[in-house]
Amino acid sequence: MKKHHISAIVISLITILAGIIASFEFHKLHVSESLYPSERLSSEGMLSDYFSGIKDTNGDTKVYFFDSGKPGATVFLAGGTHPNEPAGYLASVIILENLIPEKGRVIVIPRLNNSAFTCTDPMEAFPQSFHIDTDKGPRKFRFGSRATNPLDQWPDPLVYSHKPSGQQYSGLESRNLNRAYPGSPKGTFTEKVAYAIMQMIEKEEVDISYDLHEAAPEIPIINAIVYHEKSEDIAMYSILELEMEGLQFTPELSPKNFHGLSHREWGDYTKTYPFLMETSSPVQGRLRGKTNEELILNGVSENYKIAKETGALRIAYRDEGEQLEHRVGRHLSGFMAIINSYNEIHIDNTVKISGLPAYQELVENGIGKYLNN
Amino acid sequence: MNFELIILLLMLASFAISVFVLKMPAGVSLILAAVVGGLVDGHGIPVRQLVEGGFGFMEAIMIIATAMIFMKIMESSGVLALISLGIIKTFHKKPSLLIIVIVLFVMFPGMLTGLSSTCVLTTGVLVAPVLLAIGIPRLAAGSLIAMAAVFGEVAPPISIPVMIIGGGVDMPYIGFTIPLLLVSLPAALFTAIYFRIRFVKKINLDLVLEKLNLIENDQRGFKLYIPLIFVIGYMISEIVFHEYFLHLGVPLIFTIGSVLGIIISPKTKIIKVSRKALRMALPVIVILVGVGMFLQILTLTGVRGYLAISALQLPDAVKYMAAAVMPFMGSAYASASVIGVPLVYVFIGKSAVVVTASLVMMAALGDLMPPPSLLCAYAAQTVGVKNHFKILKQSIIPIIFSMFVAIIVLIFAEDISRFFF
């Protein structure tokens, strides 16, 4: 046997072995962690109830209903549009596991792009999960990808043309749920999921909608509430209320020509008032140091501190770090402030909820205290 | 010394030892360097991370593999030879135009695949006899083909080094057409004119045709061009008329083009041609897998962030010197991933798209450089020269001009961006 044949056999065996080991790791991503809704949960459904085209696919996801039994407004809260933005997902989980509806209804979808929870992004080196300490021990949560799993939608086009606007994005964005609205029943996997969400918002006559996100500290739209023009009054009132709590939020008007995003298309195609909230997450940043679970949880990054000091970039980073409690707390406070502002403007169709921790409580007690398991 | 810097130095050292001492291919050496990085940072051999990184350029790998098979089928069908013949018959009265068209023709496969070696091994092989027949010496003909291959890799619509840098900095592959043309076309035109002035006098068509001995009348006629027209037409239509064209993806478009080529030229030995094509593509495919793993480990260990933050703190003059180092990595893809990504951060404040285009021009010149000197080696084989370093020497003036264009574009990136966008 020639030398290069031996090399080929050895390399092939190593490749097969690595593939087998990695396949077990990747397979784990397809097992969803359990969520424990509060006792006041009224009913559960599936997103495919609104569009059967996603039934029995990775795009289908649980929809949780909290009905107070008293007439009032309907609120929809989405976490997990981008499963690599953990504060958005965890905020929706805390709401799911603690909510008490007192007037109107709340609909929660914690894993909005369920498919994107089943993969991570190559070359980003993200952990596949992170753990939150609770009284009963650590609880595991999935850390996923920004985009739909390529196993569910592939290949990407060179250029993604958004339907129906025709706006063009890079091919990768074709798997980004937050570029796919209003979606299409005959479109791609991601467009079908987007279509199902639009159907749900319309059929449930949702009054207020939230899409919870995070972004890298160097991204210009950070620590912000992005609002549709019809939601402007509510957004401004809530930002004032948040300021009185000591929380700074930047108001960002949804650009009319930036299509496919929830804050634009939910507002354009349905009667709902849409809001998208962003916090600052160093684990998503390009300047971050070691990529690990600690960075997700503590958000401490010496690199961002230095970058801020150089003044070369506009950096939204606190010197003490961007802890997960702080980021989730901001989302929860933003959620409550928007409901309060809506109620002040729509006095004949209000919604009232309780049971959620305030920002300061969450920061002091930790997230684990508000998780049921 | 910073721990991230130690990791980086150990990774680079293991890469160098693997290439120069163990004589391993560049792709395998990148994988070994990634393993070393994981070990040094205390992750053991992070199998999941390595495998995940290896899939980072899966799409590009599939494009390269299918495009190489397609180009080889086109070559064996004779259509590329017919195009060569058409070029010389059309432009022989205007030698300057002839050389420019030849350069663009050689660039063409690289523009579609983002792979410089495709240019040398397909259209380069076809025009080599034409160049020799019109009086260009072997070394110069090899240099012209190698340089055109570099420009083909940079020019739009598909530029893999841009995608590599874009993947590292979260930048979509949009808006690159004009900046990439801006860095590649002037350099390509200069190279064509440079060799025209130095070597090409009047062209005697009969003498050239006699030397070339090409078959002028192919019975299959227009049919031969159908696969080529389909591939180019569908790729463009899928983007421009997206509402009417089913999205197939570039690999499938090339595959259908290959099937059409086989139907039109049934004598094509598909297994033999495919094996030959994949054998040529394999070193680049392994490099892409290695680059993916290397980048994944740089990110995992914090080295990527360290590079980016260090780059942010560099004084202005040093920033341009750091950019000028790009060609000396010996590989466009390695240069784009290792130096290109942090350099985009260095030039924050200027248009990232234009900056990336200029960096990619410099990175692409790396395919000419030792140690691998891949393009020079392929070009030397094509024109029948034994010492491929002589081709590199012949290319010095076009390389300097290309660097000059790239640096000018880099310096004025923001002004250029404002002018065009």
Side-chain angles (χ1 to χ4, degrees):
Chain A
M1 195 180 279
K2 287 180 183 170
K3 200 179 160 189
H4 70 272
H5 285 142
I6 297 169
S7 309
I9 291 169
V10 170
I11 289 172
S12 300
L13 287 175
I14 291 172
T15 308
I16 291 167
L17 185 66
I20 291 169
I21 295 169
S23 68
F24 284 109
E25 293 287 320
F26 292 124
H27 182 70
K28 283 184 205 165
L29 285 167
H30 289 264
V31 182
S32 309
E33 64 263 23
S34 299
L35 301 178
Y36 307 93
S38 88
E39 288 174 355
R40 299 296 300 272
L41 179 76
S42 316
S43 61
E44 273 183 29
M46 295 299 287
L47 191 57
S48 59
D49 298 341
Y50 302 91
F51 173 54
S52 59
I54 61 165
K55 199 172 173 60
D56 299 326
T57 71
N58 279 333
D60 205 0
T61 186
K62 277 190 179 173
V63 184
Y64 300 90
F65 294 88
F66 295 85
D67 196 335
S68 66
K70 293 179 191 168
T74 298
V75 172
F76 162 51
L77 178 103
T81 293
H82 295 147
N84 63 337
E85 298 167 14
Y89 175 45
L90 263 188
S92 70
V93 171
I94 288 181
I95 291 170
L96 177 78
E97 301 195 356
N98 295 274
L99 187 74
I100 301 169
E102 294 179 3
K103 188 173 186 294
R105 342 184 263 164
V106 178
I107 303 168
V108 182
I109 304 182
R111 299 165 66 98
L112 198 65
N113 188 354
N114 192 55
S115 167
F117 278 89
T118 62
C119 62
T120 42
D121 298 320
M123 297 191 291
E124 289 298 338
F126 288 137
Q128 293 179 321
S129 58
F130 58 97
H131 298 79
I132 303 288
D133 286 330
T134 71
D135 292 343
K136 294 174 185 169
R139 188 167 151 191
K140 189 167 98 174
F141 290 93
R142 178 74 54 231
F143 191 96
S145 163
R146 179 178 165 82
T148 297
N149 192 329
L151 291 175
D152 292 317
Q153 185 182 316
W154 190 85
D156 294 338
L158 280 177
V159 175
Y160 164 53
S161 298
H162 169 259
K163 293 187 200 89
S165 72
Q167 184 158 6
Q168 295 194 324
Y169 295 101
S170 76
L172 179 67
E173 298 289 2
S174 67
R175 289 186 284 118
N176 181 352
L177 180 58
N178 204 27
R179 298 294 181 277
Y181 299 110
S184 162
K186 291 181 181 171
T188 62
F189 177 94
T190 311
E191 286 168 341
K192 284 179 183 171
V193 173
Y195 177 76
I197 294 161
M198 295 299 290
Q199 293 300 303
M200 190 279 292
I201 293 173
E202 201 164 307
K203 283 184 185 160
E204 298 297 340
E205 297 181 355
V206 173
D207 297 292
I208 316 167
S209 310
Y210 297 82
D211 189 11
L212 304 184
H213 287 255
E214 296 201 85
E218 66 269 31
I219 301 291
I221 297 176
I222 209 88
N223 290 333
I225 294 178
V226 190
Y227 61 91
H228 191 273
E229 58 271 14
K230 69 182 176 187
S231 315
E232 188 161 24
D233 288 349
I234 304 172
M236 294 307 171
Y237 282 133
S238 45
I239 285 169
L240 282 175
E241 184 182 321
L242 288 160
E243 260 184 36
M244 286 194 280
E245 279 183 49
L247 294 171
Q248 303 291 322
F249 278 75
T250 313
E252 297 281 354
L253 177 63
S254 168
K256 281 188 178 172
N257 57 357
F258 199 8
H259 288 285
L261 292 101
S262 56
H263 50 74
R264 169 53 41 203
E265 311 297 354
W266 290 2
D268 279 358
Y269 284 87
T270 73
K271 289 177 183 169
T272 196
Y273 292 105
F275 299 92
L276 184 148
M277 289 196 280
E278 296 274 11
T279 67
S280 172
S281 171
V283 76
Q284 280 174 260
R286 314 306 302 179
L287 306 179
R288 68 179 184 263
K290 288 184 195 303
T291 306
N292 51 30
E293 199 174 332
E294 201 183 326
L295 186 59
I296 296 173
L297 298 174
N298 295 334
V300 175
S301 170
E302 190 60 26
N303 286 0
Y304 275 106
K305 200 174 166 189
I306 296 169
K308 201 167 106 178
E309 283 162 8
T310 64
L313 295 171
R314 182 177 171 267
I315 301 280
Y317 176 77
R318 304 185 312 160
D319 288 350
E320 65 270 34
E322 298 283 349
Q323 289 77 15
L324 191 57
E325 288 83 5
H326 161 74
R327 284 140 55 202
V328 171
R330 286 183 64 91
H331 275 328
L332 294 181
S333 292
F335 175 68
M336 287 305 299
I338 286 170
I339 285 181
N340 294 341
S341 303
Y342 173 86
N343 287 342
E344 280 182 31
I345 296 169
H346 300 83
I347 44 174
D348 51 347
N349 183 37
T350 57
V351 60
K352 197 173 172 199
I353 57 168
S354 61
L356 303 183
Y359 170 81
Q360 208 54 44
E361 284 177 300
L362 196 79
V363 169
E364 281 168 14
N365 301 328
I367 292 170
K369 187 175 166 60
Y370 302 97
L371 294 174
N372 303 331
N373 53 343
Chain B
M1 193 188 283
N2 194 302
F3 187 56
E4 280 85 359
L5 181 59
I6 294 170
I7 297 172
L8 175 66
L9 291 175
L10 287 172
M11 286 174 79
L12 292 177
S14 43
F15 174 77
I17 291 167
S18 176
V19 170
F20 298 113
V21 181
L22 304 176
K23 307 285 179 199
M24 300 287 264
V28 176
S29 304
L30 280 165
I31 296 170
L32 287 175
V35 171
V36 168
L39 282 170
V40 174
D41 199 37
H43 300 278
I45 298 177
V47 177
R48 192 272 290 182
Q49 298 279 7
L50 291 167
V51 172
E52 190 173 282
F55 276 83
F57 296 103
M58 185 68 190
E59 197 106 1
I61 287 169
M62 293 200 67
I63 291 173
I64 289 167
T66 52
M68 281 298 284
I69 293 172
F70 174 74
M71 291 310 294
K72 277 285 160 194
I73 288 172
M74 289 298 92
E75 187 189 330
S76 73
S77 76
V79 68
L80 297 183
L82 280 176
I83 294 171
S84 294
L85 187 66
I87 289 171
I88 195 147
K89 284 174 82 175
T90 312
F91 299 105
H92 70 277
K93 285 180 184 166
K94 294 176 179 167
S96 300
L97 197 56
L98 173 68
I99 303 288
I100 290 169
V101 172
I102 285 175
V103 167
L104 294 175
F105 180 57
V106 176
M107 286 167 65
F108 176 68
M111 292 161 74
L112 284 188
T113 63
L115 183 60
S116 58
S117 47
T118 336
C119 303
V120 182
L121 299 168
T122 55
T123 44
V125 171
L126 287 164
V127 301
V130 177
L131 293 171
L132 298 177
I134 60 174
I136 297 182
R138 285 184 189 279
L139 280 179
S143 167
L144 182 82
I145 292 168
M147 289 304 302
V150 168
F151 305 135
E153 182 173 50
V154 177
I158 293 173
S159 177
I160 304 285
V162 169
M163 292 181 187
I164 290 175
I165 294 178
V169 298
D170 262 356
M171 181 169 47
Y173 188 63
I174 278 187
F176 280 96
T177 304
I178 292 173
L180 288 176
L181 285 175
L182 212 59
V183 288
S184 59
L185 264 191
L189 292 177
F190 172 85
T191 304
I193 300 300
Y194 170 74
F195 284 108
R196 151 76 176 100
I197 291 169
R198 280 191 68 191
F199 300 111
V200 184
K201 308 295 171 206
K202 254 192 160 182
I203 295 171
N204 182 333
L205 182 64
D206 294 333
L207 201 68
V208 171
L209 291 179
E210 197 185 311
K211 278 186 191 174
L212 287 171
N213 196 24
L214 289 171
I215 303 159
E216 281 203 47
N217 296 313
D218 193 295
Q219 297 297 316
R220 293 163 292 181
F222 176 74
K223 275 201 303 187
L224 268 181
Y225 294 89
I226 289 174
L228 215 51
I229 293 169
F230 167 77
V231 166
I232 299 166
Y234 205 98
M235 265 196 224
I236 296 168
S237 304
E238 205 184 85
I239 296 169
V240 180
F241 309 108
H242 56 94
E243 287 169 25
Y244 309 104
F245 282 80
L246 183 68
H247 166 55
L248 300 178
V250 180
L252 188 54
I253 293 172
F254 275 121
T255 306
I256 295 172
S258 300
V259 172
L260 287 175
I262 295 162
I263 292 169
I264 289 161
S265 312
K267 286 180 186 169
T268 307
K269 291 171 182 162
I270 177 65
I271 303 291
K272 195 179 164 191
V273 167
S274 302
R275 283 186 65 183
K276 207 172 167 185
L278 288 178
R279 198 165 286 154
M280 283 174 182
L282 208 55
V284 181
I285 289 174
V286 179
I287 285 178
L288 281 178
V289 171
V291 167
M293 291 186 182
F294 193 85
L295 276 175
Q296 180 103 357
I297 299 301
L298 287 187
T299 310
L300 177 72
T301 54
V303 175
R304 189 180 73 174
Y306 169 77
L307 286 172
I309 205 75
S310 306
L312 263 183
Q313 299 173 85
L314 285 174
D316 278 357
V318 183
K319 289 177 182 176
Y320 292 102
M321 277 172 66
V325 168
M326 289 196 82
F328 302 100
M329 288 290 286
S331 154
Y333 295 168
S335 178
S337 62
V338 177
I339 307 181
V341 172
L343 277 178
V344 173
Y345 289 113
V346 167
F347 295 103
I348 271 174
K350 294 173 184 271
S351 159
V353 170
V354 181
V355 164
T356 303
S358 68
L359 295 177
V360 161
M361 180 72 242
M362 291 188 249
L365 293 168
D367 279 348
L368 299 164
M369 301 292 179
S373 279
L374 205 62
L375 289 183
C376 294
Y378 284 151
Q381 279 177 13
T382 306
V383 295
V385 170
K386 279 186 182 168
N387 185 352
H388 66 269
F389 288 111
K390 286 186 178 171
I391 291 193
L392 178 61
K393 197 176 160 193
Q394 188 71 233
S395 310
I396 285 174
I397 300 291
I399 289 173
I400 290 171
F401 184 82
S402 305
M403 283 295 290
F404 174 74
V405 170
I407 288 179
I408 290 292
V409 169
L410 183 57
I411 291 170
F412 296 104
E414 193 52 27
D415 304 287
I416 290 167
S417 172
R418 262 188 251 128
F419 184 77
F420 283 105
F421 302 106

